[in-house]
Amino acid sequence: MTDSLFSASLSLSAVFAAVLTLGLMLKFWLGSRQIRHVAQHREAVPAAFSHTISLAAHQKAADYTLAKARLGLLEMALGAAVLLGWTLLGGLAALNQALTLFLGAGMAQQLALLVAFVVISGAIDLPLSWYQTFVLEQRFGFNKMSFRLWLADLLKSGLIGALIGLPIAALILWMMAATGSLWWLWAWLFWMGFNLLLLVIYPTLIAPLFNKFAPLEDETLRARVTGLMQRCGFSAKGLFVMDGSKRSAHANAYFTGFGAAKRVVFYDTLLAKLSAPEVDAVLAHELGHFKHKHIIKRIVSMFALSLAGFALLGYLARQVWFYTGLGVQPNLASSNDALALLLFMLALPVFSFFIAPLFAQVSRKHEFEADAYAVRQTSAQDLATALLKLYEDNASTLTPDPLYVRFYYSHPGASERLARMRGMAPTAA
Ligand SMILES: [Zn+2]
């Protein structure tokens, strides 16, 4: 190594280790604040909810939040250890060398490196994922999955991931090698096209592989929902009920698809818990996201961010210090494209974590806007009771730590949301 290369790679290692440590400290501090705050408010229902939420429900939400937050701390520590293992401690370098010994240099080796990485990372995550479903969710009565279904899901998503992911990975690796110094622009265009295609085919082709979607049979509800959609200027290709209860007791509803292919999907768990006017209010909230163009805004900003990401990767992939600084000796005789992709995916979240609150902030603003739309189209009362039922059924805490909310929450806390709704005049346009 030349002296300047040596110092560039050393300073990347140092920056990476420092930023990772800083991020860990911040996450740990936020997590313990959340744990302390929720534990402190466990003994009494907040005054604003004392007539609507029982003490038992409030304490269940507190216990569930605490259990999740503690597991989150463990996951965080484990994730950082695994990340260090892959990078500075040489895991990725060793895997790359071993595969080069077996397969020689070339496309097969590069694809094998990606596959081996995904399989090993998946295997490392497996015990915690099992614990989350069969211990944590189970303890609070949310898990409805048998071990068999969990395993079938795992195999199915692995198979689909391989069927879709392998050709995509091969194509991107080919572009990196064959389309010159602007490969990242071509790869970005291709990646965006693929994502748009996925948005179109996911609801109709992939989601049905995991759940059953039956047309909404309830005539009264159909009429209500169709009326609401007409009033709001929407048409949908179908109203569906999804068997969410197959996996979890958590409830949800969503509105998906593009143009004429839009469909409304209600979880059976949602329909079982909410009255018809409440279902209306929840759907109106979803329609509000469309009316305010939140979906399009999200897609456009994802496009812009990934363009910046691909451009950065285009630059980094050509810098030797990028590899050596993250613990890998680049291949001298062959391509390093798969290594570059993996290192980039591993290192990026360490840095991007610090801008996460910006995205959470925008998301919470969108939620308020969608709530306001729902209140205008339906009623504040129905939306409020629907939200409270959902918060209660999902055991979401009513007393999160305010700073934790600012950093992580994509949805505002219940008290904030209800307070805003109460503040809205029913006739306001
Ligand atoms: Zn929303």
Side-chain angles (χ1 to χ4, degrees):
M1 255 194 258
T2 64
D3 276 356
S4 66
L5 172 60
F6 184 68
S7 68
S9 92
L10 205 60
S11 44
L12 175 60
S13 303
V15 168
F16 179 70
V19 175
L20 178 65
T21 312
L22 204 68
L24 276 178
M25 282 160 61
L26 181 58
K27 282 181 199 169
F28 187 79
W29 179 64
L30 287 167
S32 23
R33 276 186 65 109
Q34 169 82 336
I35 288 172
R36 220 170 29 240
H37 200 270
V38 171
Q40 269 168 6
H41 291 83
R42 187 182 178 279
E43 295 314 316
V45 182
F49 302 99
S50 57
H51 299 295
T52 39
I53 300 282
S54 71
L55 181 64
H58 172 70
Q59 293 189 330
K60 179 186 175 188
D63 295 340
Y64 181 55
T65 309
L66 290 173
K68 276 197 304 184
R70 290 189 183 118
L71 184 66
L73 289 182
L74 180 68
E75 256 176 332
M76 177 189 92
L78 189 73
V82 169
L83 176 61
L84 279 178
W86 280 123
T87 54
L88 300 186
L89 298 178
L92 201 55
L95 187 61
N96 183 47
Q97 272 174 0
L99 290 172
T100 314
L101 269 181
F102 277 114
L103 299 167
M107 184 60 104
Q109 190 270 348
Q110 299 218 57
L111 277 178
L113 182 62
L114 295 182
V115 172
F117 174 83
V118 171
V119 170
I120 295 172
S121 312
I124 294 174
D125 290 342
L126 220 48
L128 268 187
S129 154
W130 174 87
Y131 180 88
Q132 180 161 22
T133 307
F134 292 103
V135 179
L136 199 153
E137 294 283 308
Q138 188 86 38
R139 185 179 353 139
F140 291 92
F142 290 129
N143 178 44
K144 302 291 173 215
M145 267 200 265
S146 61
F147 183 69
R148 209 189 149 96
L149 177 61
W150 184 76
L151 212 59
D153 276 2
L154 195 72
L155 294 176
K156 226 190 279 180
S157 41
L159 197 66
I160 295 167
L163 277 174
I164 299 179
L166 274 176
I168 302 268
L171 248 158
I172 289 190
L173 288 172
W174 175 79
M175 284 180 183
M176 292 176 86
T179 59
S181 60
L182 284 181
W183 71 262
W184 53 271
L185 197 58
W186 297 110
W188 174 73
L189 282 170
F190 167 71
W191 180 243
M192 291 304 100
F194 167 69
N195 270 283
L196 284 181
L197 182 71
L198 205 57
L199 279 175
V200 176
I201 65 167
Y202 187 84
T204 45
L205 291 181
I206 300 183
L209 296 175
F210 291 91
N211 283 96
K212 282 204 187 69
F213 293 83
L216 175 63
E217 303 280 2
D218 184 333
E219 281 305 324
T220 345
L221 193 58
R222 275 191 83 88
R224 272 197 89 102
V225 166
T226 315
L228 167 73
M229 297 202 38
Q230 273 166 0
R231 218 159 63 232
C232 298
F234 283 96
S235 62
K237 207 158 189 188
L239 309 174
F240 294 90
V241 180
M242 188 189 101
D243 59 345
S245 57
K246 183 178 165 187
R247 293 193 175 78
S248 159
H250 292 302
N252 206 350
Y254 63 91
F255 190 50
T256 167
F258 272 114
K262 286 201 192 72
R263 41 170 57 194
V264 177
V265 176
F266 298 106
Y267 282 37
D268 53 356
T269 39
L270 182 95
L271 297 184
K273 281 161 192 168
L274 301 189
S275 71
E278 289 168 342
V279 170
D280 256 11
V282 168
L283 178 60
H285 170 99
E286 296 303 321
L287 299 178
H289 282 306
F290 269 81
K291 273 285 157 165
H292 285 284
K293 302 204 169 27
H294 295 157
I295 318 290
I296 293 294
K297 281 178 194 162
R298 204 173 301 165
I299 291 174
V300 169
S301 49
M302 180 191 85
F303 273 33
L305 280 172
S306 39
L307 179 59
F310 271 101
L312 182 62
L313 174 58
Y315 166 75
L316 290 173
R318 278 158 208 272
Q319 313 303 318
V320 178
W321 53 260
F322 173 63
Y323 302 88
T324 51
L326 291 172
V328 180
Q329 283 303 322
N331 307 315
L332 293 176
S334 62
S335 158
N336 291 292
D337 295 338
L339 275 178
L341 284 175
L342 289 175
L343 286 176
F344 189 70
M345 283 188 311
L346 284 170
L348 191 66
V350 171
F351 296 91
S352 64
F353 168 69
F354 293 91
I355 54 168
L358 288 178
F359 295 99
Q361 167 96 38
V362 172
S363 172
R364 289 195 306 271
K365 181 173 163 271
H366 287 174
E367 293 306 323
F368 281 131
E369 287 171 4
D371 279 350
Y373 182 83
V375 167
R376 293 198 295 274
Q377 297 299 334
T378 56
S379 99
Q381 185 57 43
D382 292 331
L383 185 60
T385 54
L387 283 179
L388 265 184
K389 279 189 194 172
L390 291 179
Y391 274 91
E392 184 177 344
D393 273 325
N394 290 325
S396 312
T397 178
L398 299 170
T399 57
D401 172 53
L403 212 63
Y404 189 88
V405 169
R406 294 196 94 169
F407 224 92
Y408 287 114
Y409 273 36
S410 62
H411 287 61
S415 12
E416 266 184 285
R417 277 178 93 171
L418 297 190
R420 285 267 184 124
M421 272 177 235
R422 279 193 210 98
M424 286 169 205
T427 50

mmCIF file with all atom_site columns, all heavy atoms in Angstrom, residues 41 59 102 108 171 196 205-206 334 380 394 411 415:
data_model
loop_
_atom_site.group_PDB
_atom_site.id
_atom_site.type_symbol
_atom_site.label_atom_id
_atom_site.label_alt_id
_atom_site.label_comp_id
_atom_site.label_asym_id
_atom_site.label_entity_id
_atom_site.label_seq_id
_atom_site.pdbx_PDB_ins_code
_atom_site.Cartn_x
_atom_site.Cartn_y
_atom_site.Cartn_z
_atom_site.occupancy
_atom_site.B_iso_or_equiv
_atom_site.pdbx_formal_charge
_atom_site.auth_seq_id
_atom_site.auth_comp_id
_atom_site.auth_asym_id
_atom_site.auth_atom_id
_atom_site.pdbx_PDB_model_num
ATOM 1   N N   . HIS A 1 41  ? -44.758 5.644   33.796  1.00 0.00 ? 41  HIS A N   1
ATOM 2   C CA  . HIS A 1 41  ? -46.177 5.957   33.612  1.00 0.00 ? 41  HIS A CA  1
ATOM 3   C C   . HIS A 1 41  ? -47.059 4.716   33.602  1.00 0.00 ? 41  HIS A C   1
ATOM 4   O O   . HIS A 1 41  ? -48.213 4.767   33.208  1.00 0.00 ? 41  HIS A O   1
ATOM 5   C CB  . HIS A 1 41  ? -46.377 6.746   32.315  1.00 0.00 ? 41  HIS A CB  1
ATOM 6   C CG  . HIS A 1 41  ? -45.803 8.131   32.395  1.00 0.00 ? 41  HIS A CG  1
ATOM 7   N ND1 . HIS A 1 41  ? -44.470 8.393   32.171  1.00 0.00 ? 41  HIS A ND1 1
ATOM 8   C CD2 . HIS A 1 41  ? -46.369 9.311   32.700  1.00 0.00 ? 41  HIS A CD2 1
ATOM 9   C CE1 . HIS A 1 41  ? -44.239 9.686   32.322  1.00 0.00 ? 41  HIS A CE1 1
ATOM 10  N NE2 . HIS A 1 41  ? -45.371 10.265  32.650  1.00 0.00 ? 41  HIS A NE2 1
ATOM 11  N N   . GLN A 1 59  ? -51.595 -1.139  31.117  1.00 0.00 ? 59  GLN A N   1
ATOM 12  C CA  . GLN A 1 59  ? -50.413 -1.844  31.636  1.00 0.00 ? 59  GLN A CA  1
ATOM 13  C C   . GLN A 1 59  ? -49.922 -2.910  30.658  1.00 0.00 ? 59  GLN A C   1
ATOM 14  O O   . GLN A 1 59  ? -48.722 -3.144  30.548  1.00 0.00 ? 59  GLN A O   1
ATOM 15  C CB  . GLN A 1 59  ? -50.715 -2.427  33.011  1.00 0.00 ? 59  GLN A CB  1
ATOM 16  C CG  . GLN A 1 59  ? -50.913 -1.289  34.014  1.00 0.00 ? 59  GLN A CG  1
ATOM 17  C CD  . GLN A 1 59  ? -51.016 -1.756  35.445  1.00 0.00 ? 59  GLN A CD  1
ATOM 18  O OE1 . GLN A 1 59  ? -51.481 -2.849  35.696  1.00 0.00 ? 59  GLN A OE1 1
ATOM 19  N NE2 . GLN A 1 59  ? -50.604 -0.892  36.375  1.00 0.00 ? 59  GLN A NE2 1
ATOM 20  N N   . PHE A 1 102 ? -12.663 -21.623 -4.410  1.00 0.00 ? 102 PHE A N   1
ATOM 21  C CA  . PHE A 1 102 ? -13.538 -22.680 -4.937  1.00 0.00 ? 102 PHE A CA  1
ATOM 22  C C   . PHE A 1 102 ? -13.966 -22.417 -6.368  1.00 0.00 ? 102 PHE A C   1
ATOM 23  O O   . PHE A 1 102 ? -14.008 -23.314 -7.191  1.00 0.00 ? 102 PHE A O   1
ATOM 24  C CB  . PHE A 1 102 ? -14.800 -22.803 -4.078  1.00 0.00 ? 102 PHE A CB  1
ATOM 25  C CG  . PHE A 1 102 ? -14.599 -23.635 -2.865  1.00 0.00 ? 102 PHE A CG  1
ATOM 26  C CD1 . PHE A 1 102 ? -14.678 -23.092 -1.599  1.00 0.00 ? 102 PHE A CD1 1
ATOM 27  C CD2 . PHE A 1 102 ? -14.309 -24.999 -2.987  1.00 0.00 ? 102 PHE A CD2 1
ATOM 28  C CE1 . PHE A 1 102 ? -14.480 -23.857 -0.477  1.00 0.00 ? 102 PHE A CE1 1
ATOM 29  C CE2 . PHE A 1 102 ? -14.109 -25.775 -1.869  1.00 0.00 ? 102 PHE A CE2 1
ATOM 30  C CZ  . PHE A 1 102 ? -14.189 -25.202 -0.606  1.00 0.00 ? 102 PHE A CZ  1
ATOM 31  N N   . ALA A 1 108 ? -19.772 -16.125 -11.439 1.00 0.00 ? 108 ALA A N   1
ATOM 32  C CA  . ALA A 1 108 ? -20.259 -17.161 -10.514 1.00 0.00 ? 108 ALA A CA  1
ATOM 33  C C   . ALA A 1 108 ? -19.788 -16.869 -9.095  1.00 0.00 ? 108 ALA A C   1
ATOM 34  O O   . ALA A 1 108 ? -20.563 -16.952 -8.135  1.00 0.00 ? 108 ALA A O   1
ATOM 35  C CB  . ALA A 1 108 ? -19.765 -18.534 -10.957 1.00 0.00 ? 108 ALA A CB  1
ATOM 36  N N   . LEU A 1 171 ? -27.910 -9.001  -13.262 1.00 0.00 ? 171 LEU A N   1
ATOM 37  C CA  . LEU A 1 171 ? -28.014 -7.887  -14.198 1.00 0.00 ? 171 LEU A CA  1
ATOM 38  C C   . LEU A 1 171 ? -27.248 -6.659  -13.710 1.00 0.00 ? 171 LEU A C   1
ATOM 39  O O   . LEU A 1 171 ? -26.542 -5.996  -14.481 1.00 0.00 ? 171 LEU A O   1
ATOM 40  C CB  . LEU A 1 171 ? -29.486 -7.528  -14.394 1.00 0.00 ? 171 LEU A CB  1
ATOM 41  C CG  . LEU A 1 171 ? -30.021 -7.843  -15.781 1.00 0.00 ? 171 LEU A CG  1
ATOM 42  C CD1 . LEU A 1 171 ? -31.527 -7.973  -15.757 1.00 0.00 ? 171 LEU A CD1 1
ATOM 43  C CD2 . LEU A 1 171 ? -29.586 -6.776  -16.769 1.00 0.00 ? 171 LEU A CD2 1
ATOM 44  N N   . LEU A 1 196 ? -40.900 0.033   -9.600  1.00 0.00 ? 196 LEU A N   1
ATOM 45  C CA  . LEU A 1 196 ? -42.234 0.403   -10.072 1.00 0.00 ? 196 LEU A CA  1
ATOM 46  C C   . LEU A 1 196 ? -43.022 -0.844  -10.454 1.00 0.00 ? 196 LEU A C   1
ATOM 47  O O   . LEU A 1 196 ? -44.202 -0.983  -10.121 1.00 0.00 ? 196 LEU A O   1
ATOM 48  C CB  . LEU A 1 196 ? -42.133 1.348   -11.272 1.00 0.00 ? 196 LEU A CB  1
ATOM 49  C CG  . LEU A 1 196 ? -41.767 2.798   -10.952 1.00 0.00 ? 196 LEU A CG  1
ATOM 50  C CD1 . LEU A 1 196 ? -41.727 3.640   -12.218 1.00 0.00 ? 196 LEU A CD1 1
ATOM 51  C CD2 . LEU A 1 196 ? -42.788 3.389   -9.966  1.00 0.00 ? 196 LEU A CD2 1
ATOM 52  N N   . LEU A 1 205 ? -49.847 -10.356 -7.499  1.00 0.00 ? 205 LEU A N   1
ATOM 53  C CA  . LEU A 1 205 ? -49.136 -11.609 -7.754  1.00 0.00 ? 205 LEU A CA  1
ATOM 54  C C   . LEU A 1 205 ? -48.395 -12.164 -6.542  1.00 0.00 ? 205 LEU A C   1
ATOM 55  O O   . LEU A 1 205 ? -48.336 -13.376 -6.360  1.00 0.00 ? 205 LEU A O   1
ATOM 56  C CB  . LEU A 1 205 ? -48.118 -11.416 -8.900  1.00 0.00 ? 205 LEU A CB  1
ATOM 57  C CG  . LEU A 1 205 ? -48.735 -11.202 -10.280 1.00 0.00 ? 205 LEU A CG  1
ATOM 58  C CD1 . LEU A 1 205 ? -47.647 -11.047 -11.334 1.00 0.00 ? 205 LEU A CD1 1
ATOM 59  C CD2 . LEU A 1 205 ? -49.641 -12.379 -10.641 1.00 0.00 ? 205 LEU A CD2 1
ATOM 60  N N   . ILE A 1 206 ? -47.814 -11.281 -5.731  1.00 0.00 ? 206 ILE A N   1
ATOM 61  C CA  . ILE A 1 206 ? -46.972 -11.796 -4.642  1.00 0.00 ? 206 ILE A CA  1
ATOM 62  C C   . ILE A 1 206 ? -47.731 -11.917 -3.317  1.00 0.00 ? 206 ILE A C   1
ATOM 63  O O   . ILE A 1 206 ? -47.708 -12.962 -2.676  1.00 0.00 ? 206 ILE A O   1
ATOM 64  C CB  . ILE A 1 206 ? -45.698 -10.932 -4.494  1.00 0.00 ? 206 ILE A CB  1
ATOM 65  C CG1 . ILE A 1 206 ? -44.921 -11.000 -5.815  1.00 0.00 ? 206 ILE A CG1 1
ATOM 66  C CG2 . ILE A 1 206 ? -44.842 -11.439 -3.337  1.00 0.00 ? 206 ILE A CG2 1
ATOM 67  C CD1 . ILE A 1 206 ? -43.626 -10.268 -5.831  1.00 0.00 ? 206 ILE A CD1 1
ATOM 68  N N   . SER A 1 334 ? -9.448  -9.574  -10.541 1.00 0.00 ? 334 SER A N   1
ATOM 69  C CA  . SER A 1 334 ? -10.820 -9.682  -11.032 1.00 0.00 ? 334 SER A CA  1
ATOM 70  C C   . SER A 1 334 ? -11.668 -8.568  -10.443 1.00 0.00 ? 334 SER A C   1
ATOM 71  O O   . SER A 1 334 ? -11.189 -7.714  -9.717  1.00 0.00 ? 334 SER A O   1
ATOM 72  C CB  . SER A 1 334 ? -11.384 -11.041 -10.640 1.00 0.00 ? 334 SER A CB  1
ATOM 73  O OG  . SER A 1 334 ? -11.393 -11.127 -9.237  1.00 0.00 ? 334 SER A OG  1
ATOM 74  N N   . ALA A 1 380 ? -64.719 13.125  13.333  1.00 0.00 ? 380 ALA A N   1
ATOM 75  C CA  . ALA A 1 380 ? -63.614 13.080  14.285  1.00 0.00 ? 380 ALA A CA  1
ATOM 76  C C   . ALA A 1 380 ? -63.888 12.015  15.342  1.00 0.00 ? 380 ALA A C   1
ATOM 77  O O   . ALA A 1 380 ? -62.990 11.303  15.781  1.00 0.00 ? 380 ALA A O   1
ATOM 78  C CB  . ALA A 1 380 ? -63.419 14.444  14.935  1.00 0.00 ? 380 ALA A CB  1
ATOM 79  N N   . ASN A 1 394 ? -53.393 -3.132  19.485  1.00 0.00 ? 394 ASN A N   1
ATOM 80  C CA  . ASN A 1 394 ? -51.992 -3.367  19.151  1.00 0.00 ? 394 ASN A CA  1
ATOM 81  C C   . ASN A 1 394 ? -51.088 -3.148  20.358  1.00 0.00 ? 394 ASN A C   1
ATOM 82  O O   . ASN A 1 394 ? -49.873 -3.259  20.240  1.00 0.00 ? 394 ASN A O   1
ATOM 83  C CB  . ASN A 1 394 ? -51.559 -2.447  18.012  1.00 0.00 ? 394 ASN A CB  1
ATOM 84  C CG  . ASN A 1 394 ? -52.217 -2.847  16.701  1.00 0.00 ? 394 ASN A CG  1
ATOM 85  O OD1 . ASN A 1 394 ? -52.422 -4.031  16.445  1.00 0.00 ? 394 ASN A OD1 1
ATOM 86  N ND2 . ASN A 1 394 ? -52.559 -1.871  15.879  1.00 0.00 ? 394 ASN A ND2 1
ATOM 87  N N   . HIS A 1 411 ? -45.577 7.359   13.116  1.00 0.00 ? 411 HIS A N   1
ATOM 88  C CA  . HIS A 1 411 ? -46.931 7.838   13.427  1.00 0.00 ? 411 HIS A CA  1
ATOM 89  C C   . HIS A 1 411 ? -46.884 8.588   14.747  1.00 0.00 ? 411 HIS A C   1
ATOM 90  O O   . HIS A 1 411 ? -46.205 8.144   15.673  1.00 0.00 ? 411 HIS A O   1
ATOM 91  C CB  . HIS A 1 411 ? -47.905 6.667   13.548  1.00 0.00 ? 411 HIS A CB  1
ATOM 92  C CG  . HIS A 1 411 ? -48.241 6.058   12.227  1.00 0.00 ? 411 HIS A CG  1
ATOM 93  N ND1 . HIS A 1 411 ? -47.295 5.493   11.407  1.00 0.00 ? 411 HIS A ND1 1
ATOM 94  C CD2 . HIS A 1 411 ? -49.421 5.926   11.573  1.00 0.00 ? 411 HIS A CD2 1
ATOM 95  C CE1 . HIS A 1 411 ? -47.884 5.046   10.310  1.00 0.00 ? 411 HIS A CE1 1
ATOM 96  N NE2 . HIS A 1 411 ? -49.175 5.295   10.371  1.00 0.00 ? 411 HIS A NE2 1
ATOM 97  N N   . SER A 1 415 ? -52.022 10.405  22.061  1.00 0.00 ? 415 SER A N   1
ATOM 98  C CA  . SER A 1 415 ? -52.533 11.630  22.698  1.00 0.00 ? 415 SER A CA  1
ATOM 99  C C   . SER A 1 415 ? -52.395 12.834  21.764  1.00 0.00 ? 415 SER A C   1
ATOM 100 O O   . SER A 1 415 ? -53.304 13.654  21.674  1.00 0.00 ? 415 SER A O   1
ATOM 101 C CB  . SER A 1 415 ? -51.829 11.899  24.020  1.00 0.00 ? 415 SER A CB  1
ATOM 102 O OG  . SER A 1 415 ? -50.712 11.100  24.174  1.00 0.00 ? 415 SER A OG  1
#
